[in-house]
Amino acid sequence: MKTAKPYWDNTGRLVSDLYSDVYFTGDDGIEEGLHIFIKGNGLPGRWKDRKSFRIIETGFGTGLNFLIAWDLWKKFAEPDAVLEYYSVEKHPIPADHLKKIHEKWPEFSSLSEKLITAYPDTTPGMHEVKIDDRNVRLFLLFDDAKNIEKLETTADAWFLDGFSPASNPEMWTFEVVEKIKKMTKPGGTFATFTSASDVRSAFERNGFIITRDTGFASKKHMLKGMLTKENGIERDTHGTEAKMAPECGALFNAIPEDLMSEDYQKVFISADQLEKDSWMFAKSIYETGYDFDVFAGITRGGAQIAIYMQEVFELLTKKKKKFATIHASSYKGLGEASEVTVGSIDALISVTRNGDKILVVDDIFDRGSTFDAVTETIKKRMPKKDFIVYKAAMYYKPHNRLVEMEPDFYHRAYATSDWIVLPHELSQLTEEELRMKGFEI
């Protein structure tokens, strides 16, 4: 078996000596792994109340994705739960070379030491790696990805890594995708850095629901998908609301027709509930490993939520966060939409610095046109600044979405066309509804 010995070039990128391609888009790899594979598969939220979870990866490479998943599992999984991690690698990196690469990530030094100690020789075939952790099991198949069925298992989530389709076309063939489908549990997901049309087509033809999402660093887009539409949706006792697991992290379900309603029903959110939801939302995002420099609230409803979230992140990170408002509007009234108008973003421009991560926050992601217009405006108004924009919506109605983008994070999804009434909204209420809220005209 031909082993790999990647090297760090003079720009700080880890380059494959076999494919002349880079292992990571950025200069670190950890944030890329979190963005693409962890968040892309809705983790760690999907681990809640699970006694076991199985990840299959194509392209073990440096083992960084495994270290990230292992670290998060120790922090967020149930105490007695077991993670099974399977990975296929055509060109394994020898242990001594891997050890030098891992010096780049001192935060994983204790896990890396366990992995390197147990790491097998690079002979072809299946290896169970005894990493001295009763809650995590690692299996490495040193073979071509086209032979992935040799794993003889099924996945809850796929980390589709490896090199690009242009550099390594054998890993992205329709035949390989067919095998991935057969090895995916109902409701199972995948995430990958590539957004190549051939890859997307292969997964769609194999029954996956596909979403093209914001890529990492210089990559504009990435793909994520789910095998079935129905799995992951739970109806509440009234059959009107669906929460998609996890609450923090977009999944890709289309809402079944029988859950849709032509008539708008009003769902009232109290001030107390909004405050608690904001706390839970911010905390769940933080626990996935994300942090932000600027919290930008879309007025009106997103501004108050962004303030709550800014406060929570300052509390949890012990770091000062910046806040800005973005003025945008699209609704004329109940169920009536107009063109989106984006007003001043001067406050955001003034506080944003190069390298900042911006979390744009709104109360509701419905049609998605407001988020779409706001993000495009930010890009146009700040062309010379280097920043990353993430999108967070407290409440999400996925079946109403008319734009390609989805929120990067949301707290609760609704499976009907219910009109969500926030605490500050009064003008569209009847006198009876006002009295319900404790107001008299």
Side-chain angles (χ1 to χ4, degrees), residues 15-60:
V15 181
S16 168
D17 61 324
L18 301 176
Y19 291 93
S20 298
D21 199 354
V22 294
Y23 278 76
F24 316 114
T25 303
D27 61 355
D28 182 278
I30 294 178
E31 285 200 20
E32 183 173 3
L34 286 168
H35 178 82
I36 295 174
F37 302 110
I38 299 299
K39 184 172 75 68
N41 280 288
L43 309 177
R46 289 171 63 199
W47 295 340
K48 185 177 180 182
D49 299 325
R50 292 288 299 267
K51 294 300 182 183
S52 65
F53 195 88
R54 190 174 299 141
I55 294 171
I56 302 180
E57 177 185 43
T58 54
F60 187 72

Side-chain angles (χ1 to χ4, degrees), residues 151-207:
L151 292 175
E152 297 183 343
T153 191
T154 55
D156 295 290
W158 289 85
F159 293 179
L160 300 181
D161 205 353
F163 298 108
S164 68
S167 301
N168 186 23
E170 294 84 1
M171 205 189 84
W172 304 97
T173 64
F174 186 82
E175 289 71 25
V176 171
V177 176
E178 279 186 312
K179 293 178 181 181
I180 289 173
K181 176 188 177 179
K182 293 176 182 177
M183 296 171 64
T184 304
K185 295 180 181 180
T189 63
F190 79 82
T192 180
F193 61 89
T194 184
S195 62
S197 58
D198 289 349
V199 175
R200 176 170 186 161
S201 175
F203 277 97
E204 286 178 333
R205 289 162 60 196
N206 274 285

Side-chain angles (χ1 to χ4, degrees), residues 194-433:
T194 184
S195 62
S197 58
D198 289 349
V199 175
R200 176 170 186 161
S201 175
F203 277 97
E204 286 178 333
R205 289 162 60 196
N206 274 285
F208 285 83
I209 303 163
I210 305 299
T211 296
R212 190 175 71 167
D213 204 352
T214 305
F216 182 82
S218 61
K219 289 186 179 293
K220 188 174 181 180
H221 299 295
M222 60 171 279
L223 296 179
K224 55 188 182 182
M226 175 180 281
L227 184 58
T228 65
K229 296 181 179 182
E230 289 76 17
N231 284 61
I233 296 181
E234 299 175 357
R235 302 189 196 189
D236 68 7
T237 55
H238 302 292
T240 58
E241 181 180 339
K243 289 185 179 180
M244 297 183 184
E247 289 184 336
C248 172
L251 288 182
F252 335 104
N253 307 64
I255 306 301
E257 292 292 334
D258 64 332
L259 284 182
M260 296 186 184
S261 171
E262 295 180 359
D263 299 321
Y264 286 102
Q265 302 295 322
K266 292 177 182 176
V267 176
F268 292 87
I269 306 295
S270 68
D272 181 60
Q273 182 181 344
L274 185 67
E275 183 176 12
K276 289 178 180 177
D277 281 351
S278 298
W279 164 267
M280 292 172 61
F281 190 24
K283 192 168 182 289
S284 64
I285 295 174
Y286 169 78
E287 288 176 346
T288 64
Y290 279 83
D291 196 4
F292 309 95
D293 306 287
V294 184
F295 290 78
I298 300 176
T299 60
R300 296 181 300 169
Q304 183 61 60
I305 297 169
I307 291 172
Y308 279 131
M309 297 180 76
Q310 176 197 11
E311 292 284 336
V312 174
F313 268 80
E314 287 188 351
L315 176 67
L316 296 174
T317 65
K318 310 299 182 186
K319 297 177 183 177
K320 187 68 177 174
K321 304 297 180 183
K322 295 174 283 189
F323 173 79
T325 56
I326 299 173
H327 299 276
S329 61
S330 61
Y331 280 99
K332 293 178 179 178
L334 184 63
E336 299 177 23
S338 64
E339 282 192 24
V340 178
T341 301
V342 180
S344 172
I345 66 165
D346 290 346
L348 178 61
I349 294 172
S350 67
V351 300
T352 301
R353 300 291 178 265
N354 283 332
D356 276 354
K357 296 181 182 66
I358 303 169
L359 185 67
V360 176
V361 181
D362 205 0
D363 50 2
I364 299 168
F365 191 111
D366 194 327
R367 292 169 174 82
S369 52
T370 300
F371 266 117
D372 202 25
V374 165
T375 53
E376 285 302 311
T377 300
I378 292 172
K379 292 175 184 177
K380 289 178 181 177
R381 291 290 308 278
M382 297 195 292
K384 296 182 179 180
K385 289 189 177 182
D386 180 22
F387 57 86
I388 301 176
V389 175
Y390 295 89
K391 305 169 291 297
M394 179 69 82
Y395 309 115
Y396 179 33
K397 295 194 281 186
H399 64 282
N400 282 4
R401 181 167 58 94
L402 297 179
V403 299
E404 189 173 73
M405 72 162 60
E406 287 186 297
D408 295 303
F409 308 99
Y410 64 85
H411 177 61
R412 184 175 297 120
Y414 285 85
T416 70
S417 296
D418 291 346
W419 186 267
I420 301 170
V421 182
L422 296 170
H424 63 270
E425 296 177 317
L426 302 175
S427 61
Q428 299 292 327
L429 304 185
T430 65
E431 291 188 17
E432 181 181 353
E433 289 168 338

Side-chain angles (χ1 to χ4, degrees), residues 85-131:
Y85 194 104
Y86 290 78
S87 190
V88 179
E89 177 56 59
K90 184 178 181 180
H91 301 295
I93 301 173
D96 57 345
H97 200 80
L98 206 59
K99 183 177 181 179
K100 293 178 181 178
I101 294 172
H102 284 195
E103 292 174 359
K104 176 76 171 178
W105 309 297
E107 55 268 70
F108 295 140
S109 58
S110 62
L111 301 183
S112 171
E113 184 178 352
K114 289 183 178 182
L115 174 59
I116 298 301
T117 299
Y119 195 76
D121 60 35
T122 56
T123 56
M126 177 70 83
H127 303 267
E128 181 174 359
V129 186
K130 307 288 188 179
I131 55 174

